[in-house]
Amino acid sequence: MYGYAGQFLRVNLNTGTTTIEHPPESELKAFLGGRGFIIPRLLSEIPKGADPYGPENLLIFATGPFTGYLPGGGRNSVGAKSPLTGGFGESEAGGFFGAELKRAGLDAIIIEGKSANPVYICIEKGKTKVLDASTIWGMDTADTETAIQQALGSNKYRTAVIGPAGEKRIPFATIHNDITHVYGRNGMGAVMGSKRLKAIAVRGDKLPEVADKKVLVALSRSIKKSPLTTCGTGLAMAGYNENGNLPVNNFKGGRFENIKKITAGALCENDMLVGMHSCFACPIRCKKRVRADTPWSVDPVYGGPEYETLAAFGSNCGVDNIFAIAKAHELCNRYGIDTISAGVVISFAMECFENGLITTGDTGGIELRFGNAEAMVEMVRLICRREGFGTTLSQGCKRAAEIIGKGSEQYAMHIKGLELPMHDPRHNQSFTIHFSLHSTGPDHCTGSFDDADGNNLGRFVVEDETAPIEKVPPHELSPAKAQFLYSVGLYRQLCNHFSLCLFVPWTLTQCLQALTAITGWDTSYQALRQAVDRTVTLARVFNLREGFSVEDEKLPDRFYSPPPSGPLKEVAVDCKQLKGAQQHYYKINGWNDRGVPTDQLLSDLDIGWCSAHIPKAAEKSL
């Protein structure tokens, strides 16, 4: 077996015992890795209706075939039942942890049960120990990593840790590897905290052999530096401001007048950028480190804000203070919460405040208005600590709106309970389909960017592709847009199986070549498509079993009307067209008109076993 360790580690925190599982090569071929290794086990092992914070939930770390071998191959996935949505939850991160996990002889770690006391897991050279973490429980993410490396006597251990927010089970808490590489979405840190698991430390010594090292070396050398090397993501914000993609004031729309003050370039102009760092074997080096002394002290050990964070705490909160944004980012990485969810729930509260639904009596005297940088930073701090009004907002938009009431639901920018990322779906209208249907909620990484992807279609085409991908205008919402999303989405979803970074410009043809060079398999485009379809279908079944239906696949009402000003002032999502595009997307995937996978599809994908998890009521046609 090439490219895989061929071993999954299972850790039972109820008993502190460990076992090794050896998945057959047929399973590796069928699911590839990453998300593909996670969802079959979540569906088959987690009982229907299980509490995401209960011992029945699993927490699975999984690498892919590219992990540890190629530029962009520093990524790996974490999955569980999400405490934020109640459905399938999964998140990815770059860094070095995944490569070290594979160097330690493991393709995945399956964590089950719940420890009675705080613990951490130490993995080294085929040996696993469950160790006491009572002295580090309560520490922030950076101090946790330092304390573990000191206790183990080496800084060569790679770690995945949670901060105090994960311990407090904030439902959008995060997991951090090497401090700055974050499994950000769906609350995986809260699941880890609920298991009383503070960290995992890994040290390996050898990667599994590959089938053709020369081909991998040649492919690796073809990857050059990119504009992201200068100061990471966030350079395109001015362009997003002009085309309407940039969210402003809780997605109300319009232009953000002081956009130059909050872009990635502003970090350089204010002498805040102190370095650019990389993930495993990657020449792009897109990870920022920023420092500031005043008006807020910002520690560079926690990295620096990327596009999603710059927009979430910046334009979407009406804040034009780059120092405040950097401080909010640092707090999120220090305590361990998702910057997207945090920024969106604060912008939600700002709109509630400006419309009189909450007052300073609710917020503890904080004037929570759009543009108030000090208020934004203080609310991040309160959310992280679950104090004051931060206790309400720490529940996420959906639950916070239920607590506040008074019609505040109209300002809650979420789908299935997950806050929207920083892309207005009125502009990239394939996101209207993807955000509404995707199993984990609105995920910008696995959907298609209509304008950018439409201009780079060559990246997504392979020689044996018989149905060419047609470019579709960004504001169009039609069956053709659904087909575009499905075709381009193959590549973007494959990255979550390969464990490959989207920022490294691999083409789909190169991915096929790399997979063959790593594994020795004589694979094909159709086999890759089936692997993605298999995983997407299992995730769909998981959510159906947990009670989701077509009624949950809608956008916040805000997007069905154009904003009053700005580049999208005449652009809205047509509800009828969206439903038509959704129906076409169901059909392409082999689902019925209620979005339920058909028996024929399950048979074709060789996952007929999962039909037992589909509720009978869900199978009825509309």
Side-chain angles (χ1 to χ4, degrees):
M1 185 181 298
Y2 292 111
Y4 293 90
Q7 297 190 126
F8 291 179
L9 170 68
R10 186 177 289 264
V11 181
N12 187 317
L13 293 179
N14 291 334
T15 61
T17 58
T18 65
T19 55
I20 292 291
E21 300 175 1
H22 299 278
E25 189 171 18
S26 59
E27 179 180 347
L28 305 182
K29 284 186 175 181
F31 294 100
L32 297 176
R35 178 175 291 187
F37 288 164
I38 292 169
I39 185 57
R41 283 163 178 78
L42 298 187
L43 180 60
S44 61
E45 295 187 37
I46 298 175
K48 176 184 177 182
D51 181 356
Y53 295 134
E56 300 91 354
N57 201 1
L58 301 180
L59 182 68
I60 304 176
F61 290 75
T63 68
F66 288 12
T67 305
Y69 295 113
L70 294 165
R75 298 186 71 79
N76 63 108
S77 298
V78 179
K81 183 177 181 180
S82 170
L84 193 60
T85 70
F88 171 54
E90 188 252 0
S91 191
E92 302 83 36
F96 297 82
F97 179 82
E100 200 68 20
L101 190 64
K102 188 172 279 190
R103 283 168 54 86
L106 297 172
D107 297 310
I109 308 173
I110 305 165
I111 301 164
E112 60 187 12
K114 179 178 181 178
S115 176
N117 302 298
V119 295
Y120 72 96
I121 297 169
C122 178
I123 302 166
E124 182 175 14
K125 297 180 180 178
K127 296 181 180 180
T128 302
K129 300 176 182 177
V130 179
L131 303 173
D132 177 66
S134 57
T135 60
I136 59 175
W137 195 255
M139 286 186 179
D140 67 26
T141 53
D143 288 346
T144 298
E145 179 179 85
T146 298
I148 288 175
Q149 290 177 342
Q150 288 177 347
L152 297 175
S154 173
N155 62 5
K156 294 183 178 180
Y157 287 89
R158 298 294 182 175
T159 62
V161 311
I162 60 170
E167 298 170 11
K168 295 177 185 294
R169 302 195 309 189
I170 291 176
F172 49 90
T174 50
I175 303 172
H176 296 241
N177 79 61
D178 303 318
I179 306 171
T180 61
H181 303 280
V182 185
Y183 309 93
R185 312 234 66 198
N186 286 111
M188 299 298 97
V191 176
M192 192 161 162
S194 74
K195 295 184 175 298
R196 308 282 282 175
L197 178 62
K198 181 65 172 174
I200 302 172
V202 181
R203 186 177 180 183
D205 56 6
K206 187 179 180 182
L207 284 169
E209 295 293 328
V210 298
D212 193 332
K213 188 174 181 179
K214 288 184 179 179
V215 171
L216 287 186
V217 170
L219 286 169
S220 297
R221 288 176 176 170
S222 71
I223 301 301
K224 308 299 181 183
K225 291 185 178 181
S226 83
L228 294 174
T229 305
T230 305
C231 50
T233 61
L235 290 172
M237 291 180 73
Y240 287 169
N241 197 35
E242 291 304 310
N243 66 25
N245 185 62
L246 182 75
V248 179
N249 290 6
N250 199 32
F251 287 90
K252 285 197 291 187
R255 284 188 176 88
F256 191 69
E257 295 303 322
N258 293 324
I259 185 63
K260 290 184 179 180
K261 292 184 176 182
I262 66 168
T263 67
L267 295 167
C268 298
E269 292 166 8
N270 286 281
D271 296 323
M272 300 172 70
L273 189 66
V274 296
M276 298 296 295
H277 291 255
S278 180
C279 296
F280 175 86
C282 186
I284 292 180
R285 300 180 65 84
C286 69
K287 300 293 291 184
K288 306 178 184 73
R289 289 192 188 273
V290 303
R291 180 197 303 275
D293 297 317
T294 60
W296 287 276
S297 174
V298 178
D299 189 339
V301 74
Y302 296 102
E306 301 297 340
Y307 166 71
E308 296 291 328
T309 306
L310 292 165
F313 292 129
S315 60
N316 207 42
C317 287
V319 170
D320 63 5
N321 188 318
I322 193 66
F323 295 94
I325 296 169
K327 183 60 181 180
H329 170 270
E330 185 224 65
L331 288 169
C332 289
N333 272 15
R334 181 186 293 273
Y335 285 88
I337 64 170
D338 177 22
T339 59
I340 297 175
S341 286
V344 173
V345 77
I346 290 172
S347 67
F348 153 78
M350 287 175 165
E351 190 162 8
C352 289
F353 188 94
E354 293 200 347
N355 283 281
L357 304 187
I358 56 176
T359 68
T360 52
D362 300 299
T363 64
I366 298 173
E367 290 280 338
L368 201 56
R369 297 184 183 279
F370 287 117
N372 189 336
E374 292 78 8
M376 183 271 289
V377 172
E378 182 58 21
M379 198 51 64
V380 172
R381 193 187 312 274
L382 292 174
I383 290 171
C384 289
R385 295 180 176 179
R386 232 174 191 171
E387 295 175 355
F389 191 61
T391 303
T392 297
L393 298 188
S394 72
Q395 298 298 308
C397 276
K398 183 176 185 292
R399 292 170 193 164
E402 292 168 354
I403 293 168
I404 295 168
K406 305 176 187 178
S408 62
E409 293 85 357
Q410 65 184 305
Y411 307 133
M413 298 296 107
H414 73 87
I415 299 173
K416 299 185 180 79
L418 181 67
E419 287 73 21
L420 266 68
M422 298 295 102
H423 304 277
D424 193 317
R426 286 172 291 204
H427 172 63
N428 279 294
Q429 295 217 5
S430 66
F431 275 151
T432 67
I433 310 169
H434 187 69
F435 284 178
S436 61
L437 300 186
H438 191 56
S439 56
T440 63
D443 173 22
H444 59 291
C445 291
T446 50
S448 60
F449 287 76
D450 297 350
D451 40 11
D453 290 341
N455 291 327
N456 294 281
L457 288 179
R459 185 177 180 185
F460 311 111
V461 176
V462 292
E463 293 176 0
D464 62 346
E465 169 63 273
T466 56
I469 304 173
E470 304 255 344
K471 181 178 179 179
V472 187
H475 297 169
E476 179 181 324
L477 186 56
S478 64
K481 180 59 68 70
Q483 182 64 57
F484 178 87
L485 170 64
Y486 178 78
S487 298
V488 172
L490 163 71
Y491 177 93
R492 293 192 174 276
Q493 302 241 29
L494 264 176
C495 288
N496 287 14
H497 296 69
F498 287 149
S499 294
L500 179 66
C501 180
L502 288 169
F503 291 160
V504 181
W506 294 103
T507 66
L508 191 49
T509 297
Q510 287 175 317
C511 288
L512 278 166
Q513 293 170 347
L515 183 64
T516 298
I518 290 169
T519 64
W521 298 338
D522 183 16
T523 191
S524 67
Y525 167 86
Q526 292 301 329
L528 299 184
R529 178 176 291 282
Q530 277 208 322
V532 173
D533 288 344
R534 196 171 284 120
T535 300
V536 168
T537 299
L538 290 176
R540 184 77 179 181
V541 171
F542 186 95
N543 281 3
L544 289 169
R545 187 191 70 175
E546 297 305 315
F548 287 92
S549 69
V550 290
E551 283 71 31
D552 299 293
E553 298 183 329
K554 56 187 178 183
L555 304 175
D557 289 343
R558 169 154 290 166
F559 300 112
Y560 297 122
S561 301
S565 63
L568 299 179
K569 64 181 179 180
E570 296 181 357
V571 180
V573 177
D574 185 295
C575 185
K576 185 176 180 180
Q577 288 183 357
L578 175 58
K579 289 181 179 178
Q582 287 174 331
Q583 285 292 323
H584 191 73
Y585 194 75
Y586 293 162
K587 185 177 180 180
I588 297 171
N589 276 281
W591 306 342
N592 71 12
D593 61 2
R594 291 189 64 84
V596 179
T598 63
D599 289 340
Q600 183 62 55
L601 174 69
L602 301 183
S603 176
D604 291 344
L605 297 177
D606 197 24
I607 50 172
W609 60 268
C610 77
S611 64
H613 295 278
I614 299 176
K616 294 301 179 184
E619 296 178 345
K620 296 179 180 178
S621 181
L622 288 173

